Amino acid sequence: MAIGVARYLDEHRWLVPLAPSQAWVRDAFVVPGQRGKRYFAMLLALIERAMGHRLEMLSDVDTANQASLRAHRSAGFEPVGRCRTLSVGSRLVLRGRPCKALSGIDSIRPGARALWMGAEEWNWHQRHIA
């Protein structure tokens, strides 16, 4: 999690800016035998306590990942939108429009739903991947 640092959603080729009071939660994993014990919610509470103030936390979850969706709901997250993208190879991306909840997105051709990345766009993408 990085606070106030833009989050690059590489599947969509979108760079989402974050305010200093916002954090994007990502890549949390709880082993199957330990799920349902609210570790995710406890971790988020510890982070807020360490920061000394309340954060607006955002996250992205694959809709097929039911365990993650339950953990996010249990921690107080609410769905704000659904984004769809299909990558065909590494350079062709077929994507829906950004969710209305995501504002100020920097992107490779933000309005393009079918995106073939040339050399310059591929380099931009590579620079933003975590």
Side-chain angles (χ1 to χ4, degrees):
M1 173 169 33
I3 299 165
V5 176
R7 167 74 163 106
Y8 185 54
L9 299 170
D10 60 311
E11 302 89 350
H12 307 287
R13 307 326 194 246
W14 297 335
L15 184 63
V16 180
L18 297 179
S21 61
Q22 294 177 313
W24 200 286
V25 179
R26 56 180 288 191
D27 300 331
F29 180 78
V30 176
V31 296
Q34 296 298 312
R35 291 182 183 156
K37 297 181 180 179
R38 300 194 42 87
Y39 289 133
F40 182 62
M42 286 188 277
L43 174 64
L44 298 178
L46 286 171
I47 291 167
E48 280 192 333
R49 188 176 319 145
M51 291 300 300
H53 60 85
R54 185 116 172 97
L55 294 169
E56 179 184 6
M57 295 192 191
L58 303 112
S59 187
D60 54 299
V61 180
D62 186 324
T63 55
N65 189 339
Q66 293 299 310
S68 184
L69 288 170
R70 280 191 302 277
H72 279 77
R73 283 189 196 109
S74 177
F77 283 82
E78 296 177 11
V80 296
R82 188 176 197 172
C83 306
R84 295 177 184 220
T85 296
L86 173 65
S87 295
V88 182
S90 58
R91 293 192 185 232
L92 177 61
V93 180
L94 306 174
R95 61 187 179 186
R97 304 219 186 280
C99 310
K100 290 183 178 160
L102 301 177
S103 60
I105 290 176
D106 187 8
S107 173
I108 299 172
R109 287 185 273 133
R113 295 190 72 189
L115 175 66
W116 174 261
M117 295 191 305
E120 184 178 325
E121 294 162 332
W122 180 253
N123 289 332
W124 186 91
H125 170 67
Q126 291 298 309
R127 284 192 311 272
H128 289 86
I129 292 177

PDB file of all heavy atoms in Angstrom, residues 9-44:
ATOM      1  N   LEU A   9      -3.092   0.747 -12.951  1.00  0.00           N
ATOM      2  CA  LEU A   9      -3.854  -0.463 -13.221  1.00  0.00           C
ATOM      3  C   LEU A   9      -3.410  -0.951 -14.596  1.00  0.00           C
ATOM      4  O   LEU A   9      -3.956  -0.555 -15.625  1.00  0.00           O
ATOM      5  CB  LEU A   9      -5.357  -0.171 -13.180  1.00  0.00           C
ATOM      6  CG  LEU A   9      -5.871   0.335 -11.830  1.00  0.00           C
ATOM      7  CD1 LEU A   9      -7.307   0.820 -11.943  1.00  0.00           C
ATOM      8  CD2 LEU A   9      -5.757  -0.750 -10.782  1.00  0.00           C
ATOM      9  N   ASP A  10      -2.383  -1.790 -14.604  1.00  0.00           N
ATOM     10  CA  ASP A  10      -1.741  -2.163 -15.856  1.00  0.00           C
ATOM     11  C   ASP A  10      -2.650  -2.942 -16.786  1.00  0.00           C
ATOM     12  O   ASP A  10      -2.494  -2.879 -18.003  1.00  0.00           O
ATOM     13  CB  ASP A  10      -0.442  -2.926 -15.601  1.00  0.00           C
ATOM     14  CG  ASP A  10      -0.615  -4.204 -14.812  1.00  0.00           C
ATOM     15  OD1 ASP A  10      -1.277  -4.162 -13.760  1.00  0.00           O
ATOM     16  OD2 ASP A  10      -0.077  -5.232 -15.245  1.00  0.00           O
ATOM     17  N   GLU A  11      -3.644  -3.664 -16.254  1.00  0.00           N
ATOM     18  CA  GLU A  11      -4.554  -4.401 -17.119  1.00  0.00           C
ATOM     19  C   GLU A  11      -5.322  -3.455 -18.037  1.00  0.00           C
ATOM     20  O   GLU A  11      -5.656  -3.797 -19.159  1.00  0.00           O
ATOM     21  CB  GLU A  11      -5.577  -5.204 -16.302  1.00  0.00           C
ATOM     22  CG  GLU A  11      -4.978  -6.183 -15.336  1.00  0.00           C
ATOM     23  CD  GLU A  11      -4.704  -5.585 -13.955  1.00  0.00           C
ATOM     24  OE1 GLU A  11      -4.807  -4.342 -13.785  1.00  0.00           O
ATOM     25  OE2 GLU A  11      -4.361  -6.355 -13.055  1.00  0.00           O
ATOM     26  N   HIS A  12      -5.634  -2.260 -17.523  1.00  0.00           N
ATOM     27  CA  HIS A  12      -6.424  -1.274 -18.270  1.00  0.00           C
ATOM     28  C   HIS A  12      -5.564  -0.200 -18.932  1.00  0.00           C
ATOM     29  O   HIS A  12      -6.044   0.551 -19.762  1.00  0.00           O
ATOM     30  CB  HIS A  12      -7.417  -0.576 -17.331  1.00  0.00           C
ATOM     31  CG  HIS A  12      -8.278  -1.504 -16.553  1.00  0.00           C
ATOM     32  ND1 HIS A  12      -9.308  -2.217 -17.116  1.00  0.00           N
ATOM     33  CD2 HIS A  12      -8.266  -1.857 -15.246  1.00  0.00           C
ATOM     34  CE1 HIS A  12      -9.891  -2.957 -16.184  1.00  0.00           C
ATOM     35  NE2 HIS A  12      -9.270  -2.760 -15.049  1.00  0.00           N
ATOM     36  N   ARG A  13      -4.310  -0.102 -18.504  1.00  0.00           N
ATOM     37  CA  ARG A  13      -3.395   0.967 -18.939  1.00  0.00           C
ATOM     38  C   ARG A  13      -3.885   2.317 -18.402  1.00  0.00           C
ATOM     39  O   ARG A  13      -3.842   3.322 -19.076  1.00  0.00           O
ATOM     40  CB  ARG A  13      -3.201   1.033 -20.440  1.00  0.00           C
ATOM     41  CG  ARG A  13      -2.795  -0.212 -21.223  1.00  0.00           C
ATOM     42  CD  ARG A  13      -1.873  -1.162 -20.506  1.00  0.00           C
ATOM     43  NE  ARG A  13      -1.282  -2.124 -21.413  1.00  0.00           N
ATOM     44  CZ  ARG A  13      -1.528  -3.433 -21.370  1.00  0.00           C
ATOM     45  NH1 ARG A  13      -2.339  -3.939 -20.498  1.00  0.00           N
ATOM     46  NH2 ARG A  13      -0.920  -4.241 -22.210  1.00  0.00           N
ATOM     47  N   TRP A  14      -4.336   2.337 -17.125  1.00  0.00           N
ATOM     48  CA  TRP A  14      -4.824   3.552 -16.471  1.00  0.00           C
ATOM     49  C   TRP A  14      -3.934   3.876 -15.278  1.00  0.00           C
ATOM     50  O   TRP A  14      -3.657   3.016 -14.451  1.00  0.00           O
ATOM     51  CB  TRP A  14      -6.240   3.379 -15.946  1.00  0.00           C
ATOM     52  CG  TRP A  14      -7.300   3.130 -16.956  1.00  0.00           C
ATOM     53  CD1 TRP A  14      -7.290   3.494 -18.279  1.00  0.00           C
ATOM     54  CD2 TRP A  14      -8.539   2.461 -16.746  1.00  0.00           C
ATOM     55  NE1 TRP A  14      -8.443   3.084 -18.886  1.00  0.00           N
ATOM     56  CE2 TRP A  14      -9.229   2.451 -17.965  1.00  0.00           C
ATOM     57  CE3 TRP A  14      -9.127   1.878 -15.636  1.00  0.00           C
ATOM     58  CZ2 TRP A  14     -10.481   1.882 -18.112  1.00  0.00           C
ATOM     59  CZ3 TRP A  14     -10.374   1.311 -15.782  1.00  0.00           C
ATOM     60  CH2 TRP A  14     -11.043   1.319 -17.011  1.00  0.00           C
ATOM     61  N   LEU A  15      -3.529   5.126 -15.154  1.00  0.00           N
ATOM     62  CA  LEU A  15      -2.792   5.616 -13.994  1.00  0.00           C
ATOM     63  C   LEU A  15      -3.769   6.457 -13.179  1.00  0.00           C
ATOM     64  O   LEU A  15      -4.218   7.511 -13.624  1.00  0.00           O
ATOM     65  CB  LEU A  15      -1.583   6.445 -14.435  1.00  0.00           C
ATOM     66  CG  LEU A  15      -0.658   6.948 -13.338  1.00  0.00           C
ATOM     67  CD1 LEU A  15      -0.010   5.777 -12.601  1.00  0.00           C
ATOM     68  CD2 LEU A  15       0.411   7.863 -13.921  1.00  0.00           C
ATOM     69  N   VAL A  16      -4.140   5.970 -11.993  1.00  0.00           N
ATOM     70  CA  VAL A  16      -5.154   6.614 -11.160  1.00  0.00           C
ATOM     71  C   VAL A  16      -4.455   7.468 -10.099  1.00  0.00           C
ATOM     72  O   VAL A  16      -3.748   6.929  -9.239  1.00  0.00           O
ATOM     73  CB  VAL A  16      -6.052   5.558 -10.470  1.00  0.00           C
ATOM     74  CG1 VAL A  16      -7.110   6.223  -9.617  1.00  0.00           C
ATOM     75  CG2 VAL A  16      -6.669   4.624 -11.499  1.00  0.00           C
ATOM     76  N   PRO A  17      -4.638   8.803 -10.158  1.00  0.00           N
ATOM     77  CA  PRO A  17      -3.998   9.660  -9.152  1.00  0.00           C
ATOM     78  C   PRO A  17      -4.692   9.505  -7.795  1.00  0.00           C
ATOM     79  O   PRO A  17      -5.889   9.248  -7.725  1.00  0.00           O
ATOM     80  CB  PRO A  17      -4.202  11.072  -9.708  1.00  0.00           C
ATOM     81  CG  PRO A  17      -5.426  10.971 -10.554  1.00  0.00           C
ATOM     82  CD  PRO A  17      -5.447   9.569 -11.102  1.00  0.00           C
ATOM     83  N   LEU A  18      -3.925   9.657  -6.724  1.00  0.00           N
ATOM     84  CA  LEU A  18      -4.481   9.582  -5.371  1.00  0.00           C
ATOM     85  C   LEU A  18      -4.107  10.838  -4.594  1.00  0.00           C
ATOM     86  O   LEU A  18      -3.009  11.365  -4.744  1.00  0.00           O
ATOM     87  CB  LEU A  18      -3.938   8.358  -4.627  1.00  0.00           C
ATOM     88  CG  LEU A  18      -4.281   6.994  -5.196  1.00  0.00           C
ATOM     89  CD1 LEU A  18      -3.652   5.895  -4.345  1.00  0.00           C
ATOM     90  CD2 LEU A  18      -5.777   6.791  -5.287  1.00  0.00           C
ATOM     91  N   ALA A  19      -5.036  11.281  -3.764  1.00  0.00           N
ATOM     92  CA  ALA A  19      -4.790  12.413  -2.880  1.00  0.00           C
ATOM     93  C   ALA A  19      -3.919  11.945  -1.710  1.00  0.00           C
ATOM     94  O   ALA A  19      -3.842  10.739  -1.439  1.00  0.00           O
ATOM     95  CB  ALA A  19      -6.121  12.962  -2.375  1.00  0.00           C
ATOM     96  N   PRO A  20      -3.290  12.868  -0.988  1.00  0.00           N
ATOM     97  CA  PRO A  20      -2.461  12.477   0.171  1.00  0.00           C
ATOM     98  C   PRO A  20      -3.230  11.718   1.257  1.00  0.00           C
ATOM     99  O   PRO A  20      -2.626  11.015   2.051  1.00  0.00           O
ATOM    100  CB  PRO A  20      -1.949  13.811   0.714  1.00  0.00           C
ATOM    101  CG  PRO A  20      -2.009  14.749  -0.447  1.00  0.00           C
ATOM    102  CD  PRO A  20      -3.195  14.304  -1.269  1.00  0.00           C
ATOM    103  N   SER A  21      -4.550  11.831   1.269  1.00  0.00           N
ATOM    104  CA  SER A  21      -5.362  11.127   2.268  1.00  0.00           C
ATOM    105  C   SER A  21      -5.900   9.798   1.754  1.00  0.00           C
ATOM    106  O   SER A  21      -6.715   9.156   2.402  1.00  0.00           O
ATOM    107  CB  SER A  21      -6.529  12.017   2.691  1.00  0.00           C
ATOM    108  OG  SER A  21      -7.343  12.289   1.554  1.00  0.00           O
ATOM    109  N   GLN A  22      -5.461   9.381   0.558  1.00  0.00           N
ATOM    110  CA  GLN A  22      -5.944   8.141  -0.043  1.00  0.00           C
ATOM    111  C   GLN A  22      -4.819   7.107  -0.138  1.00  0.00           C
ATOM    112  O   GLN A  22      -3.662   7.457  -0.346  1.00  0.00           O
ATOM    113  CB  GLN A  22      -6.490   8.393  -1.451  1.00  0.00           C
ATOM    114  CG  GLN A  22      -7.736   9.249  -1.478  1.00  0.00           C
ATOM    115  CD  GLN A  22      -8.165   9.513  -2.912  1.00  0.00           C
ATOM    116  OE1 GLN A  22      -7.360   9.868  -3.771  1.00  0.00           O
ATOM    117  NE2 GLN A  22      -9.461   9.344  -3.158  1.00  0.00           N
ATOM    118  N   ALA A  23      -5.207   5.849  -0.008  1.00  0.00           N
ATOM    119  CA  ALA A  23      -4.254   4.746  -0.147  1.00  0.00           C
ATOM    120  C   ALA A  23      -4.907   3.652  -0.973  1.00  0.00           C
ATOM    121  O   ALA A  23      -6.096   3.392  -0.838  1.00  0.00           O
ATOM    122  CB  ALA A  23      -3.863   4.205   1.218  1.00  0.00           C
ATOM    123  N   TRP A  24      -4.117   3.028  -1.835  1.00  0.00           N
ATOM    124  CA  TRP A  24      -4.613   1.907  -2.634  1.00  0.00           C
ATOM    125  C   TRP A  24      -4.085   0.624  -2.009  1.00  0.00           C
ATOM    126  O   TRP A  24      -2.884   0.413  -1.909  1.00  0.00           O
ATOM    127  CB  TRP A  24      -4.140   2.013  -4.083  1.00  0.00           C
ATOM    128  CG  TRP A  24      -4.989   1.192  -4.999  1.00  0.00           C
ATOM    129  CD1 TRP A  24      -4.991  -0.171  -5.116  1.00  0.00           C
ATOM    130  CD2 TRP A  24      -5.977   1.671  -5.896  1.00  0.00           C
ATOM    131  NE1 TRP A  24      -5.919  -0.575  -6.037  1.00  0.00           N
ATOM    132  CE2 TRP A  24      -6.541   0.545  -6.535  1.00  0.00           C
ATOM    133  CE3 TRP A  24      -6.445   2.935  -6.239  1.00  0.00           C
ATOM    134  CZ2 TRP A  24      -7.527   0.647  -7.493  1.00  0.00           C
ATOM    135  CZ3 TRP A  24      -7.430   3.040  -7.186  1.00  0.00           C
ATOM    136  CH2 TRP A  24      -7.966   1.904  -7.811  1.00  0.00           C
ATOM    137  N   VAL A  25      -4.992  -0.226  -1.559  1.00  0.00           N
ATOM    138  CA  VAL A  25      -4.638  -1.494  -0.929  1.00  0.00           C
ATOM    139  C   VAL A  25      -4.502  -2.531  -2.028  1.00  0.00           C
ATOM    140  O   VAL A  25      -5.399  -2.697  -2.844  1.00  0.00           O
ATOM    141  CB  VAL A  25      -5.735  -1.927   0.076  1.00  0.00           C
ATOM    142  CG1 VAL A  25      -5.382  -3.252   0.720  1.00  0.00           C
ATOM    143  CG2 VAL A  25      -5.951  -0.839   1.110  1.00  0.00           C
ATOM    144  N   ARG A  26      -3.374  -3.231  -2.029  1.00  0.00           N
ATOM    145  CA  ARG A  26      -3.187  -4.221  -3.085  1.00  0.00           C
ATOM    146  C   ARG A  26      -2.319  -5.382  -2.615  1.00  0.00           C
ATOM    147  O   ARG A  26      -1.535  -5.260  -1.699  1.00  0.00           O
ATOM    148  CB  ARG A  26      -2.561  -3.577  -4.315  1.00  0.00           C
ATOM    149  CG  ARG A  26      -1.248  -2.873  -4.031  1.00  0.00           C
ATOM    150  CD  ARG A  26      -0.658  -2.262  -5.244  1.00  0.00           C
ATOM    151  NE  ARG A  26      -0.170  -3.322  -6.091  1.00  0.00           N
ATOM    152  CZ  ARG A  26       0.590  -3.153  -7.139  1.00  0.00           C
ATOM    153  NH1 ARG A  26       0.945  -1.972  -7.495  1.00  0.00           N
ATOM    154  NH2 ARG A  26       1.000  -4.169  -7.845  1.00  0.00           N
ATOM    155  N   ASP A  27      -2.528  -6.501  -3.267  1.00  0.00           N
ATOM    156  CA  ASP A  27      -1.698  -7.695  -3.087  1.00  0.00           C
ATOM    157  C   ASP A  27      -1.692  -8.253  -1.660  1.00  0.00           C
ATOM    158  O   ASP A  27      -0.694  -8.778  -1.209  1.00  0.00           O
ATOM    159  CB  ASP A  27      -0.271  -7.441  -3.566  1.00  0.00           C
ATOM    160  CG  ASP A  27      -0.217  -7.076  -5.038  1.00  0.00           C
ATOM    161  OD1 ASP A  27      -1.108  -7.520  -5.788  1.00  0.00           O
ATOM    162  OD2 ASP A  27       0.695  -6.334  -5.449  1.00  0.00           O
ATOM    163  N   ALA A  28      -2.808  -8.113  -0.951  1.00  0.00           N
ATOM    164  CA  ALA A  28      -2.925  -8.752   0.368  1.00  0.00           C
ATOM    165  C   ALA A  28      -3.392 -10.194   0.133  1.00  0.00           C
ATOM    166  O   ALA A  28      -4.264 -10.440  -0.683  1.00  0.00           O
ATOM    167  CB  ALA A  28      -3.930  -8.001   1.230  1.00  0.00           C
ATOM    168  N   PHE A  29      -2.803 -11.122   0.852  1.00  0.00           N
ATOM    169  CA  PHE A  29      -3.178 -12.522   0.687  1.00  0.00           C
ATOM    170  C   PHE A  29      -3.228 -13.192   2.043  1.00  0.00           C
ATOM    171  O   PHE A  29      -2.310 -13.039   2.850  1.00  0.00           O
ATOM    172  CB  PHE A  29      -2.165 -13.256  -0.204  1.00  0.00           C
ATOM    173  CG  PHE A  29      -2.491 -14.701  -0.407  1.00  0.00           C
ATOM    174  CD1 PHE A  29      -3.478 -15.091  -1.305  1.00  0.00           C
ATOM    175  CD2 PHE A  29      -1.845 -15.680   0.325  1.00  0.00           C
ATOM    176  CE1 PHE A  29      -3.804 -16.431  -1.481  1.00  0.00           C
ATOM    177  CE2 PHE A  29      -2.160 -17.023   0.159  1.00  0.00           C
ATOM    178  CZ  PHE A  29      -3.139 -17.390  -0.755  1.00  0.00           C
ATOM    179  N   VAL A  30      -4.295 -13.900   2.306  1.00  0.00           N
ATOM    180  CA  VAL A  30      -4.440 -14.688   3.528  1.00  0.00           C
ATOM    181  C   VAL A  30      -4.564 -16.141   3.092  1.00  0.00           C
ATOM    182  O   VAL A  30      -5.393 -16.469   2.246  1.00  0.00           O
ATOM    183  CB  VAL A  30      -5.684 -14.247   4.341  1.00  0.00           C
ATOM    184  CG1 VAL A  30      -5.874 -15.128   5.559  1.00  0.00           C
ATOM    185  CG2 VAL A  30      -5.568 -12.776   4.742  1.00  0.00           C
ATOM    186  N   VAL A  31      -3.748 -16.987   3.671  1.00  0.00           N
ATOM    187  CA  VAL A  31      -3.780 -18.404   3.290  1.00  0.00           C
ATOM    188  C   VAL A  31      -5.157 -18.982   3.590  1.00  0.00           C
ATOM    189  O   VAL A  31      -5.821 -18.583   4.545  1.00  0.00           O
ATOM    190  CB  VAL A  31      -2.667 -19.217   3.984  1.00  0.00           C
ATOM    191  CG1 VAL A  31      -1.298 -18.754   3.544  1.00  0.00           C
ATOM    192  CG2 VAL A  31      -2.796 -19.170   5.478  1.00  0.00           C
ATOM    193  N   PRO A  32      -5.621 -19.917   2.761  1.00  0.00           N
ATOM    194  CA  PRO A  32      -6.977 -20.440   2.903  1.00  0.00           C
ATOM    195  C   PRO A  32      -7.339 -20.912   4.316  1.00  0.00           C
ATOM    196  O   PRO A  32      -8.434 -20.638   4.800  1.00  0.00           O
ATOM    197  CB  PRO A  32      -7.021 -21.595   1.900  1.00  0.00           C
ATOM    198  CG  PRO A  32      -6.064 -21.171   0.834  1.00  0.00           C
ATOM    199  CD  PRO A  32      -4.953 -20.461   1.566  1.00  0.00           C
ATOM    200  N   GLY A  33      -6.466 -21.560   5.028  1.00  0.00           N
ATOM    201  CA  GLY A  33      -6.773 -22.068   6.364  1.00  0.00           C
ATOM    202  C   GLY A  33      -6.966 -20.975   7.412  1.00  0.00           C
ATOM    203  O   GLY A  33      -7.474 -21.237   8.496  1.00  0.00           O
ATOM    204  N   GLN A  34      -6.569 -19.743   7.093  1.00  0.00           N
ATOM    205  CA  GLN A  34      -6.672 -18.636   8.048  1.00  0.00           C
ATOM    206  C   GLN A  34      -7.744 -17.617   7.662  1.00  0.00           C
ATOM    207  O   GLN A  34      -7.924 -16.609   8.351  1.00  0.00           O
ATOM    208  CB  GLN A  34      -5.315 -17.925   8.164  1.00  0.00           C
ATOM    209  CG  GLN A  34      -4.228 -18.799   8.739  1.00  0.00           C
ATOM    210  CD  GLN A  34      -4.557 -19.244  10.155  1.00  0.00           C
ATOM    211  OE1 GLN A  34      -4.938 -18.450  11.007  1.00  0.00           O
ATOM    212  NE2 GLN A  34      -4.444 -20.536  10.418  1.00  0.00           N
ATOM    213  N   ARG A  35      -8.440 -17.868   6.590  1.00  0.00           N
ATOM    214  CA  ARG A  35      -9.470 -16.921   6.137  1.00  0.00           C
ATOM    215  C   ARG A  35     -10.653 -16.905   7.088  1.00  0.00           C
ATOM    216  O   ARG A  35     -10.910 -17.860   7.795  1.00  0.00           O
ATOM    217  CB  ARG A  35      -9.913 -17.275   4.719  1.00  0.00           C
ATOM    218  CG  ARG A  35      -8.805 -17.011   3.729  1.00  0.00           C
ATOM    219  CD  ARG A  35      -9.206 -17.309   2.316  1.00  0.00           C
ATOM    220  NE  ARG A  35      -8.040 -17.086   1.450  1.00  0.00           N
ATOM    221  CZ  ARG A  35      -7.876 -17.638   0.288  1.00  0.00           C
ATOM    222  NH1 ARG A  35      -8.791 -18.449  -0.199  1.00  0.00           N
ATOM    223  NH2 ARG A  35      -6.801 -17.382  -0.421  1.00  0.00           N
ATOM    224  N   GLY A  36     -11.372 -15.778   7.071  1.00  0.00           N
ATOM    225  CA  GLY A  36     -12.557 -15.637   7.906  1.00  0.00           C
ATOM    226  C   GLY A  36     -12.245 -15.158   9.317  1.00  0.00           C
ATOM    227  O   GLY A  36     -13.138 -15.057  10.157  1.00  0.00           O
ATOM    228  N   LYS A  37     -10.990 -14.842   9.596  1.00  0.00           N
ATOM    229  CA  LYS A  37     -10.598 -14.406  10.944  1.00  0.00           C
ATOM    230  C   LYS A  37     -10.371 -12.895  11.017  1.00  0.00           C
ATOM    231  O   LYS A  37      -9.851 -12.397  12.009  1.00  0.00           O
ATOM    232  CB  LYS A  37      -9.342 -15.154  11.385  1.00  0.00           C
ATOM    233  CG  LYS A  37      -9.582 -16.652  11.486  1.00  0.00           C
ATOM    234  CD  LYS A  37      -8.356 -17.385  11.952  1.00  0.00           C
ATOM    235  CE  LYS A  37      -8.652 -18.885  12.035  1.00  0.00           C
ATOM    236  NZ  LYS A  37      -7.493 -19.645  12.457  1.00  0.00           N
ATOM    237  N   ARG A  38     -10.752 -12.177   9.960  1.00  0.00           N
ATOM    238  CA  ARG A  38     -10.691 -10.714   9.900  1.00  0.00           C
ATOM    239  C   ARG A  38      -9.262 -10.154   9.928  1.00  0.00           C
ATOM    240  O   ARG A  38      -9.032  -9.030  10.353  1.00  0.00           O
ATOM    241  CB  ARG A  38     -11.559 -10.084  10.977  1.00  0.00           C
ATOM    242  CG  ARG A  38     -13.030 -10.485  10.841  1.00  0.00           C
ATOM    243  CD  ARG A  38     -13.996  -9.676  11.635  1.00  0.00           C
ATOM    244  NE  ARG A  38     -13.799  -8.258  11.660  1.00  0.00           N
ATOM    245  CZ  ARG A  38     -14.276  -7.378  10.766  1.00  0.00           C
ATOM    246  NH1 ARG A  38     -14.999  -7.808   9.766  1.00  0.00           N
ATOM    247  NH2 ARG A  38     -14.049  -6.102  10.880  1.00  0.00           N
ATOM    248  N   TYR A  39      -8.277 -10.928   9.471  1.00  0.00           N
ATOM    249  CA  TYR A  39      -6.901 -10.439   9.429  1.00  0.00           C
ATOM    250  C   TYR A  39      -6.765  -9.219   8.524  1.00  0.00           C
ATOM    251  O   TYR A  39      -6.036  -8.277   8.837  1.00  0.00           O
ATOM    252  CB  TYR A  39      -5.935 -11.538   8.961  1.00  0.00           C
ATOM    253  CG  TYR A  39      -5.727 -12.634   9.962  1.00  0.00           C
ATOM    254  CD1 TYR A  39      -5.798 -13.963   9.581  1.00  0.00           C
ATOM    255  CD2 TYR A  39      -5.455 -12.351  11.298  1.00  0.00           C
ATOM    256  CE1 TYR A  39      -5.592 -14.981  10.495  1.00  0.00           C
ATOM    257  CE2 TYR A  39      -5.254 -13.361  12.215  1.00  0.00           C
ATOM    258  CZ  TYR A  39      -5.322 -14.677  11.808  1.00  0.00           C
ATOM    259  OH  TYR A  39      -5.117 -15.681  12.718  1.00  0.00           O
ATOM    260  N   PHE A  40      -7.462  -9.233   7.413  1.00  0.00           N
ATOM    261  CA  PHE A  40      -7.402  -8.114   6.458  1.00  0.00           C
ATOM    262  C   PHE A  40      -7.901  -6.833   7.125  1.00  0.00           C
ATOM    263  O   PHE A  40      -7.242  -5.800   7.080  1.00  0.00           O
ATOM    264  CB  PHE A  40      -8.225  -8.463   5.206  1.00  0.00           C
ATOM    265  CG  PHE A  40      -8.204  -7.418   4.130  1.00  0.00           C
ATOM    266  CD1 PHE A  40      -7.028  -7.054   3.507  1.00  0.00           C
ATOM    267  CD2 PHE A  40      -9.382  -6.813   3.720  1.00  0.00           C
ATOM    268  CE1 PHE A  40      -7.013  -6.096   2.500  1.00  0.00           C
ATOM    269  CE2 PHE A  40      -9.385  -5.864   2.719  1.00  0.00           C
ATOM    270  CZ  PHE A  40      -8.194  -5.504   2.107  1.00  0.00           C
ATOM    271  N   ALA A  41      -9.051  -6.906   7.787  1.00  0.00           N
ATOM    272  CA  ALA A  41      -9.604  -5.730   8.471  1.00  0.00           C
ATOM    273  C   ALA A  41      -8.674  -5.266   9.589  1.00  0.00           C
ATOM    274  O   ALA A  41      -8.476  -4.060   9.787  1.00  0.00           O
ATOM    275  CB  ALA A  41     -10.994  -6.052   9.024  1.00  0.00           C
ATOM    276  N   MET A  42      -8.082  -6.203  10.321  1.00  0.00           N
ATOM    277  CA  MET A  42      -7.156  -5.837  11.393  1.00  0.00           C
ATOM    278  C   MET A  42      -5.913  -5.147  10.836  1.00  0.00           C
ATOM    279  O   MET A  42      -5.424  -4.166  11.409  1.00  0.00           O
ATOM    280  CB  MET A  42      -6.763  -7.070  12.205  1.00  0.00           C
ATOM    281  CG  MET A  42      -7.864  -7.566  13.112  1.00  0.00           C
ATOM    282  SD  MET A  42      -7.311  -8.874  14.231  1.00  0.00           S
ATOM    283  CE  MET A  42      -7.442 -10.306  13.160  1.00  0.00           C
ATOM    284  N   LEU A  43      -5.406  -5.638   9.722  1.00  0.00           N
ATOM    285  CA  LEU A  43      -4.239  -5.029   9.097  1.00  0.00           C
ATOM    286  C   LEU A  43      -4.534  -3.580   8.697  1.00  0.00           C
ATOM    287  O   LEU A  43      -3.735  -2.677   8.964  1.00  0.00           O
ATOM    288  CB  LEU A  43      -3.814  -5.838   7.872  1.00  0.00           C
ATOM    289  CG  LEU A  43      -2.688  -5.230   7.038  1.00  0.00           C
ATOM    290  CD1 LEU A  43      -1.400  -5.159   7.837  1.00  0.00           C
ATOM    291  CD2 LEU A  43      -2.500  -6.026   5.752  1.00  0.00           C
ATOM    292  N   LEU A  44      -5.685  -3.356   8.089  1.00  0.00           N
ATOM    293  CA  LEU A  44      -6.050  -2.001   7.677  1.00  0.00           C
ATOM    294  C   LEU A  44      -6.198  -1.082   8.897  1.00  0.00           C
ATOM    295  O   LEU A  44      -5.768   0.075   8.863  1.00  0.00           O
ATOM    296  CB  LEU A  44      -7.329  -2.025   6.854  1.00  0.00           C
ATOM    297  CG  LEU A  44      -7.258  -2.817   5.545  1.00  0.00           C
ATOM    298  CD1 LEU A  44      -8.605  -2.804   4.847  1.00  0.00           C
ATOM    299  CD2 LEU A  44      -6.160  -2.304   4.650  1.00  0.00           C
TER     300      LEU A  44
END
